[in-house]
Amino acid sequence: MSDFCQIQDWKLFSGSIRPWVIAGPCSVENRESLISEAFSLKKAGVRVLRGGLWKPRTHPGCFEGVGETGAQWLREAGAAADMHTATEVANARHVEIVLKNGIDAVWIGARTTGNPFLVQEIAEALRGTDTPVFVKNPMVPDPELWSGAIERFARCGLDCICAVHRGFHFYGENLYRNPPFWQIPVELRRRFPGLPLFCDPSHITGRRDLVEDIARQALILGFDGLMIEVHPDPDRALSDAAQQITPEDLAGILGRLKIRKTSTQDAEAAAAIDDLRTGIDRIDAALIDLLAQRMDISASIGLIKERSGMTVLQADRWNNVLERARAMAKEKDLDEDFITEIFTTIHRASMERQLKK
């Protein structure tokens, strides 16, 4: 599936260039501040004003958005500053309110993306419209859920679809609120080459001081745009205060970000890259050969274990293999977590080979 409308042709971004930016408060709070912020964002170069009307909170009793009342405020703010508008929808009723109030685009939150019933309900409610849809990744790092949600909107005749990477839930200690796990959006782009891809550094980081670095990484990876939470007084925001930045901060960040091209006209640089990629291709072929040999040896070991009545898992041996690999990685200045992940995958495949014997 690659028949997506190219984002430079969307009415939201007509005439502008990468990175395309959607910005605004996590939650719409009041009419006056929203209109004032819209003018500040327009000055910073933002074309689309975002604002949450319904906020899914984990616990009841928290601020859950102003709801339908804020839809009119969002429309007024967009009209006043000559900006397009976007908000999150989580069911068909939300879609009805958005369309009635002339809001230009919608996004699907992470909690909703993981629920195929709700995604289908929203897609059906949008059928027959030309509303742009921004689909955030689900909470869990599962490319199938993300892909499936995108496919549901496409099958309902919507072609202005964009994926938004906002990171994934992670249980445990981590620098980020929702670690990016960049390989997941990279896989999504492989599956849907024509699909526009945005990054939401606000939700990935959960901290305003890290927003610029994640935005920079996303653009280096070739993302098309950014969705950033901006508030005139972030510390007083009614939701997600820690991750919101000021309009002035956003202007500074956008001024420092560099856009990279997907190709180069520098013949010398292109030739050098081709030569180096040829070397990588040779190494990849050698790696495949070595892995095949390793699997054959694992299979032979499995047969001996079976005849000898031994268990497939030999914990001491596995610990020794892993520790040796990590030590060699350290000597070669390779990331130990990277090597651990590779060898864990190899070990899992080896056990599966032996279990089949």
Side-chain angles (χ1 to χ4, degrees), residues 132-147:
V133 181
F134 294 82
V135 185
K136 291 195 174 186
N137 60 259
M139 300 287 286
V140 296
D142 181 0
E144 300 303 329
L145 274 175
W146 203 1
S147 298

Side-chain angles (χ1 to χ4, degrees), residues 115-133:
N115 187 327
F117 294 110
L118 287 176
V119 171
Q120 189 65 43
E121 176 184 317
I122 295 167
E124 294 290 351
L126 288 168
R127 185 190 290 274
T129 75
D130 60 355
T131 305
V133 181

Side-chain angles (χ1 to χ4, degrees), residues 77-116:
D82 190 25
M83 299 175 72
H84 292 290
T85 53
T87 195
E88 179 177 350
V89 294
N91 56 48
R93 173 59 179 156
H94 292 169
V95 173
E96 179 185 339
I97 293 169
V98 163
L99 296 178
K100 181 179 71 175
N101 283 276
I103 293 173
D104 299 299
V106 299
W107 76 81
I108 312 303
R111 298 171 190 253
T112 306
T113 301
N115 187 327

Side-chain angles (χ1 to χ4, degrees), residues 27-227:
S27 302
V28 171
E29 297 174 2
N30 64 73
R31 177 180 177 275
E32 291 72 23
S33 67
L34 185 63
I35 292 176
S36 174
E37 183 175 357
F39 280 101
S40 297
L41 292 172
K42 181 69 177 292
K43 185 178 179 181
V46 177
R47 299 291 295 275
V48 182
L49 173 67
R50 58 146 287 156
L53 303 179
W54 303 276
K55 302 303 299 180
R57 303 290 89 179
T58 300
H59 297 285
C62 301
F63 175 67
E64 296 182 314
V66 297
E68 184 172 358
T69 301
Q72 183 176 343
W73 301 343
L74 187 58
R75 183 190 64 200
E76 290 179 8
D82 190 25
M83 299 175 72
H84 292 290
T85 53
T87 195
E88 179 177 350
V89 294
N91 56 48
R93 173 59 179 156
H94 292 169
V95 173
E96 179 185 339
I97 293 169
V98 163
L99 296 178
K100 181 179 71 175
N101 283 276
I103 293 173
D104 299 299
V106 299
W107 76 81
I108 312 303
R111 298 171 190 253
T112 306
T113 301
N115 187 327
F117 294 110
L118 287 176
V119 171
Q120 189 65 43
E121 176 184 317
I122 295 167
E124 294 290 351
L126 288 168
R127 185 190 290 274
T129 75
D130 60 355
T131 305
V133 181
F134 294 82
V135 185
K136 291 195 174 186
N137 60 259
M139 300 287 286
V140 296
D142 181 0
E144 300 303 329
L145 274 175
W146 203 1
S147 298
I150 290 164
E151 290 167 0
R152 289 180 186 276
F153 287 107
R155 290 192 179 193
C156 282
L158 299 159
D159 61 359
C160 289
I161 304 173
C162 176
V164 180
H165 176 43
R166 47 84 72 203
F168 300 91
H169 175 71
F170 180 82
Y171 183 77
E173 293 292 327
N174 197 282
L175 177 62
Y176 303 114
R177 178 183 178 186
N178 297 289
F181 300 156
W182 294 111
Q183 70 273 16
I184 304 294
V186 167
E187 168 61 15
L188 193 76
R189 171 147 283 179
R190 185 192 68 79
R191 295 185 184 191
F192 305 125
L195 180 71
L197 186 59
F198 273 45
C199 179
D200 175 351
S202 304
H203 278 91
I204 288 176
T205 63
R207 290 170 44 181
R208 65 179 66 104
D209 61 310
L210 299 176
V211 165
E212 181 172 355
D213 184 55
I214 287 296
R216 179 186 58 81
Q217 291 182 45
L219 295 184
I220 288 173
L221 284 168
F223 280 60
D224 299 293
L226 303 167
M227 179 182 283

Side-chain angles (χ1 to χ4, degrees), residues 255-277:
R256 290 187 292 271
L257 290 176
K258 305 293 184 183
I259 302 299
R260 295 196 182 188
K261 299 171 291 186
T262 57
S263 61
T264 179
Q265 300 300 314
D266 185 331
E268 183 178 346
I273 290 173
D274 285 342
D275 286 343
L276 291 169
R277 284 175 172 169

